[in-house]
Amino acid sequence: VQLQACGGGLVQAGGSPRLSCAASENIFSINTAAWYRQAPGKVREWVASIVSGGATNYADSVKDRFTISRDNAKNTVYLQMNNLKTEDTADYFCNVRLRIHAGSRPTQYWGRGTEVTVSS
């Protein structure tokens, strides 16, 4: 299974892109999911997460601007980003713990990064 993240690009400050992260093949379920980001020259940092029950958590830097969500039917996780700031510029990565089959154990996967560049 591969995770395919997309939706990044060059965005003006204040913009509202949506990132998506989809499994490359049919899977049984997504348990938990999170988005991380890594700005140039910085360590990767956690941005947001969502658990199987739907509860979400956010880093203080993105709270009230970003929304993580999931579509179980499409096996896809989203990150709606609103009111982008230049400091949001980074490569964004999804991290998903999923079960490929009903009898399989949850396994964690990382998606390839999608670059978001915010211009002022």
Side-chain angles (χ1 to χ4, degrees):
V1 175
Q2 292 184 337
L3 296 178
Q4 299 167 332
C6 62
L10 179 62
V11 185
Q12 285 191 329
S16 300
R18 186 179 75 164
L19 306 183
S20 63
C21 174
S24 60
E25 58 189 78
N26 288 331
I27 61 173
F28 178 71
S29 67
I30 292 176
N31 286 34
T32 61
W35 286 93
Y36 289 75
R37 68 184 181 185
Q38 186 167 14
K42 296 188 177 181
V43 299
R44 188 173 298 187
E45 64 174 359
W46 167 76
V47 174
S49 59
I50 184 168
V51 297
S52 56
T56 58
N57 281 291
Y58 300 92
D60 288 342
S61 59
V62 306
K63 196 173 294 183
D64 298 326
R65 297 190 299 122
F66 290 10
T67 302
I68 186 171
S69 62
R70 56 196 288 170
D71 186 328
N72 292 327
K74 296 182 178 179
N75 292 321
T76 301
V77 181
Y78 303 97
L79 185 68
Q80 177 66 49
M81 310 163 71
N82 296 327
N83 190 23
L84 279 180
K85 305 176 181 180
T86 55
E87 52 263 43
D88 294 318
T89 293
D91 286 335
Y92 285 74
F93 301 84
C94 57
N95 177 274
V96 179
R97 183 175 295 274
L98 57 86
R99 296 168 66 189
I100 297 178
H101 306 294
S104 61
R105 297 177 61 184
T107 303
Q108 184 172 271
Y109 293 85
W110 281 96
R112 290 188 176 181
T114 182
E115 185 176 358
V116 176
T117 302
V118 185
S119 63
S120 59

